[in-house]
Amino acid sequence: VAQTTQGIYMRLWSRAFIIADEQRRVVYVTADLCMIYQAVKQAVVEKVKNDAELRDWYDDRNILLSATHTHSGPGGYSHHFLYNVTTKGFIPQNFEAIVEGIYQSIRRAHRNLEPGTIRMARGPVEGYGFNRATRPYSMNPQAERDKYSSDLDKEMTLLRFDALDGRPLGMVNWLGVHPTSIGPANRLIGGDHKGLAAYWFERDQSTDTRKEKTFVGAF
């Protein structure tokens, strides 16, 4: 009963990026979910295989699915029993909505492919979180701990995608932080702080999801 959904405080999104050169291409998807299961990957690949527009370009080998790990997302979309215990079993409606959303994001990214450039930035971020396992971490050998300046991985990595005319097309940001900001009492579906960061960033870039081409920013 404590995990019964009562509404939505933020919509969940699937954001797809296609990186290609003259010989290879890869689809990277980040979805506002807690986890990505093999069942979801298999179902997405099957949809792509049945799509005449996509099947010559993408398959199980070059489709990469990832999750933001929000703890405020839906459950019941795995084919493994233990993951579905808290939702009292598999929920086909959740599974099908997730698979369809990821598939549609790949389709949309494919249709909006255009030549561009990729730039990467890396740097430390301070004051963004804390290690909830400080005592276990301190039990690591001193030689191991001496390799790092902190018990947190503070490095942020960002990929920036721009069109050849300089227009920003999108970005993907990685920073190791646990999306549990909303807390265990929450009963509303949402993207937690990574979903909020994506929403704010896309808002600043005037993202309009109603348009076929628009800026996409993922955290």
Side-chain angles (χ1 to χ4, degrees):
V1 176
Q3 300 206 20
T4 301
T5 301
Q6 294 186 345
I8 298 174
Y9 75 83
M10 182 192 303
R11 290 193 178 277
L12 304 181
W13 296 92
S14 173
R15 296 174 170 91
F17 303 83
I18 297 174
I19 301 173
D21 59 22
E22 296 174 347
Q23 298 175 323
R24 297 168 297 177
R25 64 175 62 190
V26 62
V27 184
Y28 175 73
V29 177
T30 177
D32 290 331
L33 298 168
C34 191
M35 277 89 74
I36 290 289
Y37 301 108
Q38 184 183 27
V40 172
K41 173 72 179 290
Q42 290 173 331
V44 169
V45 169
E46 187 66 21
K47 275 185 170 288
V48 169
K49 187 170 72 174
N50 292 325
D51 187 319
E53 189 177 354
L54 302 179
R55 63 186 175 211
D56 291 337
W57 299 101
Y58 316 106
D59 56 31
D60 187 66
R61 294 168 297 179
N62 66 348
I63 297 175
L64 174 62
L65 307 184
S66 69
T68 59
H69 197 63
T70 173
H71 281 235
S72 302
Y77 60 99
S78 171
H79 284 174
H80 297 289
F81 170 76
L82 286 177
Y83 286 111
N84 295 332
V85 166
T86 57
T87 56
K88 299 184 174 70
F90 181 74
I91 304 173
Q93 184 180 19
N94 287 359
F95 179 80
E96 291 161 10
I98 288 166
V99 170
E100 180 66 18
I102 292 173
Y103 160 67
Q104 290 295 342
S105 70
I106 294 173
R107 208 160 172 263
R108 190 167 179 178
H110 177 77
R111 290 182 171 180
N112 289 315
L113 270 172
E114 64 176 292
T117 62
I118 303 174
R119 284 184 280 178
M120 183 174 70
R122 281 180 176 161
V125 177
E126 300 291 341
Y128 71 89
F130 62 93
N131 190 332
R132 295 187 298 184
T134 300
R135 286 184 62 192
Y137 180 85
S138 66
M139 297 170 68
N140 289 326
Q142 186 64 48
E144 172 71 16
R145 286 181 283 144
D146 287 344
K147 295 178 181 179
Y148 311 101
S149 60
S150 170
D151 60 359
L152 290 176
D153 181 0
K154 298 183 178 181
E155 184 174 84
M156 180 183 75
T157 301
L158 185 141
L159 288 184
R160 172 173 173 161
F161 307 100
D162 292 310
L164 293 182
D165 61 8
R167 285 177 295 111
L169 299 175
M171 74 89 190
V172 186
N173 179 285
W174 289 272
L175 177 65
V177 58
H178 208 170
T180 54
S181 296
I182 306 302
N186 174 54
R187 295 191 185 184
L188 302 178
I189 292 291
D192 210 274
H193 56 254
K194 286 187 181 287
L196 185 62
Y199 169 77
W200 279 343
F201 201 100
E202 289 181 335
R203 184 186 62 182
D204 289 345
Q205 295 294 324
S206 301
T207 294
D208 186 347
T209 57
R210 297 167 298 179
K211 295 180 179 179
E212 188 64 21
K213 286 194 174 188
T214 194
F215 182 91
V216 179
F219 285 79

